[in-house]
Amino acid sequence: MVAQPVALLHVVSTARSWPGEDDGLLGRSPFVRESREVYRSLGGYGDLSVTTVDRLAARPGLRGLLGRGGAAFPALTKIRAVADGAAALGVPPVVVANGAEGEPLSVKDRYLMRYRPHLVLDGLLTVAAALGAPVAHVYVADPAARASVETAVAELEAPADAPRVRLFAAQDTYVAGEETAVVRALATGIARPADKPPRPFQVGVGGAPTLVLNVETLACIARAGLPAGRDAGSSFLATVSGAGRPPVLYELPTGLPLGELLREHLGREDSSADVLFGGFFGGVLPAWPDLELSHPGVLRRGGSLGCGSLHVLPAPACPVRTTADVVAYYARHNAGQCGMCMASSGAIAATLAELGAPRAGVNYAALLPRWAAQLRGRGACAVPDGIAVLLRVLLRAHPQEVSRHLAAGCEECRRAPGEPRWGHLLATLPADDDGTGRAPELVASGGEVR
Amino acid sequence: MRLRVDPVKCQGYAICTEVAARHFTLDDWGYAQALVIDVAEADVPAVTDAIDECPVRAIRWIEGPATGAAAPRPAPPAV
């Protein structure tokens, strides 16, 4: 195992709300753990007796809330599917807060669990109560986040009939947070994806319909229930890194133009930069100032907002090189179980890496779009789709750059280091800080904590 | 009804593409994928053979029209 180049890690120690988002997801005192008392003083845990999905659905903005794990699936559709499935089967559903956060450029889920654990737990308990789920799981990899949630569970003074909360120590891998991997981990300890259909909301843990919701999605549901609460989908968390600037965890109004964010973050207009979107999933898009930061907005430009992270490439950076870096990561960090994924990710990573000095006789211009088409919808998890998005965005948004590589190679691509060539694309929170001053317990990964 | 090749199971034996060439194809690495088309009544015997003859039983029927996904997927709401 090659040591990570620690100096390149983007350590996120600043969190900022966009003006007008002060009562939002980040909390009023960023990076200070919010106690149960403070959360209660905001009106939190006020509606744990929500006993129907319809009452939950009446919260402002819930009907339009898209899941924040990356796939942007409508949260209420999933909740209703679990309710209907459980009623049809006559079994209690299973509810899971997904805090695995395997995306290397995102810290927002860990932030919420470390510093706003009660906001997450309120959302989880509310949804579990609405569905009549007797047990609610918190699936979390980061030890400091787990310690904070564990403390929050101990602080709970929930009614006796409230769902029980159980923590599960997730493996710290890229695929562990994929929802079928979550279900398998809870049932068997093996955090690897399974082919779909059926999806977890149809058949999940122990055969029961299982609701797996990202922790930011749950925080949005809880916020929409607070007295000062806002429309559930009105803002989102974005880990913004790169361009030689200190990384910042922002809370942004949904739909903010990219140009406004970059003017704030970089202190200048810069439409010449490129941005890696959605963790490693959304592709490298030019920093179009009018690009609307929402799931439909990024989708319209061919990419994906994914988990909400944006990494600004230091100009002049090569989009081919960055795409190659990310596919190299996928070649190393896939689940290692699908032949088509292992073979294709390795081959595509190697091919992209050689575009700095392309070989004669290889028809790259035909191969790249064909591979993008062949990988769509193929995997048990979304890794092949992620590679397809990266290739498609590279071909559509950077055709001149691709042509330049095929004609003349590229100095930056030739100078790219060997593995881990993605080492400049890793973000983290300050080590072990859970805002309590208490050192987190070390618990072996892949097991139930309580 | 459509077909799905389980990528965890598929080892690239390619028997499906021989038995039901109109419904399966191989990618550049030799792994099978089901073409996204509804299976016509007349093709069901060949497709059934492909399912039965796959050494690793990687092929299954799934619900849903060829153009949609198996999961409920409403139009994205305005955000």
Side-chain angles (χ1 to χ4, degrees):
Chain A
M1 181 84 189
V2 184
Q4 301 287 8
V6 174
L8 291 172
L9 267 182
H10 303 282
V11 180
V12 184
S13 54
T14 307
R16 273 212 293 279
S17 297
W18 205 253
E21 301 294 341
D22 297 344
D23 281 314
L25 300 169
L26 289 175
R28 292 189 179 181
S29 307
F31 284 93
V32 176
R33 184 180 180 280
E34 185 177 69
S35 68
R36 175 179 171 276
E37 288 64 39
V38 172
Y39 183 64
R40 289 274 298 176
S41 75
L42 302 175
Y45 293 124
D47 202 12
L48 285 189
S49 55
V50 167
T51 47
T52 68
V53 173
D54 284 339
R55 194 159 147 204
L56 183 66
R59 291 191 174 191
L62 212 83
R63 287 170 201 281
L65 178 65
L66 302 178
R68 300 293 170 83
F73 194 86
L76 189 60
T77 303
K78 216 168 168 181
I79 294 170
R80 286 200 191 282
V82 168
D84 295 347
L89 292 172
V91 297
V94 175
V95 175
V96 187
N98 186 1
E101 193 165 57
E103 280 290 353
L105 281 169
S106 181
V107 301
K108 50 107 178 170
D109 293 337
R110 280 167 282 179
Y111 177 94
L112 287 171
M113 292 182 290
R114 286 189 189 190
Y115 307 110
R116 300 212 71 191
H118 289 285
L119 186 68
V120 174
L121 283 180
D122 190 0
L124 177 65
L125 290 170
T126 301
V127 171
L131 286 170
V135 181
H137 300 270
V138 181
Y139 182 82
V140 47
D142 173 46
R146 198 165 63 223
S148 175
V149 175
E150 202 172 354
T151 303
V153 172
E155 290 167 350
L156 275 181
E157 290 168 24
D161 59 346
R164 273 190 316 124
V165 180
R166 293 165 85 173
L167 263 67
F168 189 93
Q171 291 177 333
D172 189 11
T173 64
Y174 187 80
V175 297
E178 195 278 336
E179 65 177 4
T180 57
V182 173
V183 165
R184 280 183 77 188
L186 288 172
T188 68
I190 300 167
R192 284 181 167 179
D195 196 31
K196 296 168 275 285
R199 291 178 178 270
F201 61 72
Q202 299 164 314
V203 180
V205 178
T210 299
L211 181 70
V212 181
L213 285 180
N214 171 264
V215 294
E216 185 187 347
T217 312
L218 291 167
C220 289
I221 291 172
R223 179 184 57 164
L226 295 179
R230 308 261 310 280
D231 183 299
S234 63
S235 65
F236 70 101
L237 296 181
T239 313
V240 180
S241 59
R245 308 281 301 179
V248 176
L249 177 63
Y250 286 100
E251 178 165 4
L252 302 175
T254 303
L256 183 78
L258 176 60
E260 282 189 40
L261 170 64
L262 293 185
R263 196 157 56 235
E264 164 72 18
H265 186 69
L266 305 176
R268 61 173 194 274
E269 307 268 347
D270 191 351
S271 54
S272 68
D274 288 319
V275 178
L276 173 60
F277 274 83
F280 280 2
F281 193 85
V284 180
L285 286 168
W288 291 306
D290 65 339
L291 190 152
E292 180 190 307
L293 294 172
S294 68
H295 281 285
V298 182
L299 197 63
R300 276 197 295 274
R301 309 305 277 264
S304 168
L305 187 58
C307 63
S309 77
L310 291 88
H311 182 78
V312 186
L313 303 180
C318 174
V320 176
R321 182 247 155 110
T322 303
T323 301
D325 294 342
V326 175
V327 179
Y329 176 91
Y330 278 137
R332 175 62 73 87
H333 291 276
N334 63 66
Q337 61 176 358
C338 296
M340 56 79 52
C341 179
M342 292 187 279
S344 61
S345 61
I348 295 171
T351 301
L352 289 171
E354 72 189 28
L355 290 183
R359 286 182 292 139
V362 180
N363 189 353
Y364 297 98
L367 284 178
L368 299 178
R370 188 165 84 223
W371 289 343
Q374 284 184 354
L375 293 186
R376 271 186 104 161
R378 292 282 303 289
C381 72
V383 163
D385 282 312
I387 296 172
V389 169
L390 285 156
L391 289 176
R392 216 165 53 235
V393 170
L394 182 66
L395 294 166
R396 283 190 195 167
H398 305 279
Q400 291 169 337
E401 278 291 300
V402 174
S403 301
R404 180 176 70 82
H405 282 71
L406 300 190
C410 168
E411 177 64 20
E412 187 184 341
C413 286
R414 279 197 295 278
R415 281 191 286 107
E419 288 195 9
R421 55 179 295 161
W422 56 84
H424 61 112
L425 299 173
L426 305 172
T428 184
L429 288 173
D432 295 345
D433 175 20
D434 64 357
T436 61
R438 191 187 77 165
E441 296 168 56
L442 288 174
V443 182
S445 239
E448 196 161 298
V449 180
R450 48 190 293 149
Chain B
M1 295 286 279
R2 291 182 298 136
L3 295 159
R4 169 87 185 162
V5 176
D6 186 333
V8 183
K9 292 179 180 170
C10 179
Q11 300 294 316
Y13 286 96
I15 292 168
C16 56
T17 59
E18 294 167 23
V19 177
R22 288 174 48 197
H23 294 88
F24 299 94
T25 185
L26 300 180
D27 65 19
D28 281 17
W29 301 276
Y31 292 93
Q33 69 184 112
L35 296 174
V36 184
I37 50 173
D38 284 318
V39 178
E41 195 66 43
D43 294 334
V44 169
V47 165
T48 304
D49 283 349
I51 292 173
D52 291 344
E53 290 179 33
C54 175
V56 290
R57 305 288 296 174
I59 307 164
R60 67 188 191 281
W61 291 103
I62 57 173
E63 300 285 338
T67 49
R73 186 166 294 187
V79 175

